[in-house]
Amino acid sequence: MSLEVKNIVKRYGEKTVVNNLSFEMKEPGVYALLGTNGAGKTTTIRIMLGMLSKDSGEVLWNGKPLDILSNNVGYLAEERGLYPKYSLMDQLLYFAKLKNVPKEEAKKRIKYWSGRLQVDEYIYPKATKKNPKRNAMNADQLSKGNQQKIQLMAALISDPDIIVLDEPLSGLDPVNADLFKTIIREEIEKKKYLIMSSHQMPTIEEFCSDITILNRGNAVLQGNLNEIKKSYGRVNMNVRCEDDISKYIERFEFEQVTVTAEDYQIKVKNENQAMEFLKELVNAGVRLIKFELREPSLHEIFVEKVGSVHEE
């Protein structure tokens, strides 16, 4: 199985919002679409799902056009997508019916996911004086985080082959964010194909092997995340010490130096420059607490790529 996006173009008048975008998933895993607000991530996702038309290009699943009516696709949108005045149970059964899940099977899956996501009390409420018939709650009675849980249930209820997650951790507290992460890991273990869009770079680093960074509709960086990091080399140096080392930093004329409350974050030309700096500090008797040389984080790569485009 494979998922392929080929030369997607989307224009609104003279403005191109997605410009000849291509990427491919040849095996199960998580592919990340990254970018600033308005970069084209959500537009790309909606084109993939057939929610928006495209000016050119194609989206293929196993070599054939992806069709959400015939292919099993789950979608968690960034914006709220529930009907506010209908009961949660009715909505979930409706979404399951749209995905051709038999009603009795849908009820079993709703029961499972309501337990996993800790929303039993909203879907299967206990009888009270105000609610003697134990009616399931409506969507507008839930917090933003709990609505997100219901939407994840709707996305997963058909046991989809392809799962599209647009800002999946939006509005979640740390406990529920960890719960969502656990479920995402389980779907990965089931060999699902996941497309994830997020502004939370640590989450992307945790799950995604391959990425595309978009800016103004253009792909400014694509590829395997580990290989991208290695291509930069270990050029990020963190130094924490008990002494003032500003005179040594000035002497080396580093490209970039950020001083925080705890340490110095320094961009070096290469590992040799970092080792020479360390040697000088040691010879000068500087009391070092921490010395770290590492590859850049995804956050740092993202800011470099997107920032440089904005400056042009």
Side-chain angles (χ1 to χ4, degrees):
M1 292 186 178
S2 65
L3 177 65
E4 187 175 6
V5 172
K6 298 179 67 175
N7 308 115
I8 292 295
V9 175
K10 178 64 178 178
R11 301 185 185 93
Y12 291 107
E14 296 183 357
K15 183 176 177 60
T16 301
V17 294
V18 179
N19 186 21
N20 201 36
L21 176 63
S22 298
F23 64 86
E24 184 176 8
M25 293 183 70
K26 295 183 179 180
E27 57 186 27
V30 188
Y31 197 104
L33 291 175
L34 308 174
T36 57
N37 294 328
K41 306 183 302 296
T42 299
T43 298
T44 298
I45 286 172
R46 290 174 177 171
I47 289 172
M48 292 177 64
L49 298 175
M51 298 168 65
L52 280 178
S53 63
K54 54 189 179 295
D55 291 285
S56 61
E58 55 186 346
V59 181
L60 304 176
W61 173 241
N62 294 328
K64 299 179 180 179
L66 177 64
D67 180 3
I68 61 171
L69 295 179
S70 57
N71 300 128
N72 195 353
V73 182
Y75 175 40
L76 174 63
E78 178 181 7
E79 66 276 5
R80 303 282 76 79
L82 300 173
Y83 299 102
K85 298 299 182 181
Y86 287 84
S87 80
L88 301 175
M89 176 61 81
D90 288 344
Q91 292 194 60
L92 289 168
L93 288 173
Y94 171 69
F95 293 136
K97 185 176 181 180
L98 291 177
K99 294 293 186 178
N100 298 315
V101 180
K103 187 173 183 178
E104 291 307 312
E105 178 62 26
K107 288 182 177 180
K108 292 178 183 177
R109 296 182 185 183
I110 292 169
K111 185 65 177 176
Y112 169 77
W113 282 115
S114 67
R116 284 297 318 278
L117 288 163
Q118 302 169 11
V119 290
D120 276 335
E121 63 183 296
Y122 309 119
I123 299 177
Y124 307 100
K126 295 179 180 179
T128 64
K129 290 182 179 180
K130 292 183 178 180
N131 186 16
K133 295 183 179 180
R134 300 191 301 173
N135 292 323
M137 296 179 70
N138 295 342
D140 62 356
Q141 296 174 282
L142 301 184
S143 67
K144 181 180 179 181
N146 282 323
Q147 288 186 46
Q148 187 82 333
K149 290 182 178 182
I150 300 301
Q151 290 193 179
L152 181 62
M153 289 178 65
L156 298 178
I157 198 166
S158 65
D159 191 22
D161 300 311
I162 304 169
I163 304 171
V164 181
L165 305 174
D166 195 354
E167 296 291 347
L169 306 186
S170 174
L172 299 178
D173 58 58
V175 172
N176 283 313
D178 284 346
L179 177 59
F180 267 48
K181 288 180 181 180
T182 298
I183 290 171
I184 291 171
R185 290 189 192 97
E186 291 173 357
E187 296 303 311
I188 295 170
E189 290 175 0
K190 293 177 184 177
K191 304 299 182 183
K192 302 299 180 68
Y193 288 71
L194 285 86
I195 302 291
M196 184 185 296
S197 172
S198 177
H199 289 113
Q200 300 182 24
M201 298 301 157
T203 300
I204 296 299
E205 288 189 284
E206 186 175 350
F207 291 109
C208 301
S209 56
D210 296 280
I211 66 169
T212 288
I213 296 179
L214 293 169
N215 192 279
R216 299 174 182 173
N218 294 288
V220 295
L221 184 66
Q222 287 186 304
N224 179 271
L225 182 55
N226 287 333
E227 292 178 1
I228 290 171
K229 286 184 173 183
K230 288 178 181 178
S231 70
Y232 278 81
R234 297 197 300 164
V235 294
N236 289 66
M237 179 172 64
N238 287 12
V239 179
R240 187 181 305 170
C241 56
E242 297 180 355
D243 305 300
D244 182 3
I245 60 172
S246 56
K247 64 180 180 181
Y248 304 106
I249 290 174
E250 291 176 6
R251 192 178 305 163
F252 273 76
E253 299 180 347
F254 291 116
E255 296 178 28
Q256 180 181 327
V257 179
T258 303
V259 182
T260 70
E262 292 188 336
D263 56 19
Y264 298 85
Q265 299 176 11
I266 303 169
K267 184 75 170 289
V268 299
K269 294 178 181 178
N270 50 51
E271 291 187 31
N272 289 336
Q273 187 185 38
M275 292 300 104
E276 287 296 323
F277 182 66
L278 174 61
K279 182 179 179 181
E280 180 151 340
L281 294 182
V282 171
N283 290 340
V286 173
R287 293 168 292 179
L288 288 168
I289 299 172
K290 175 185 177 183
F291 179 89
E292 179 186 27
L293 193 60
R294 59 175 177 80
E295 296 168 349
S297 66
L298 178 57
H299 174 89
E300 291 162 335
I301 293 171
F302 180 88
V303 170
E304 175 191 305
K305 288 296 179 181
V306 173
S308 64
V309 173
H310 277 292
E311 290 168 3
E312 292 177 356

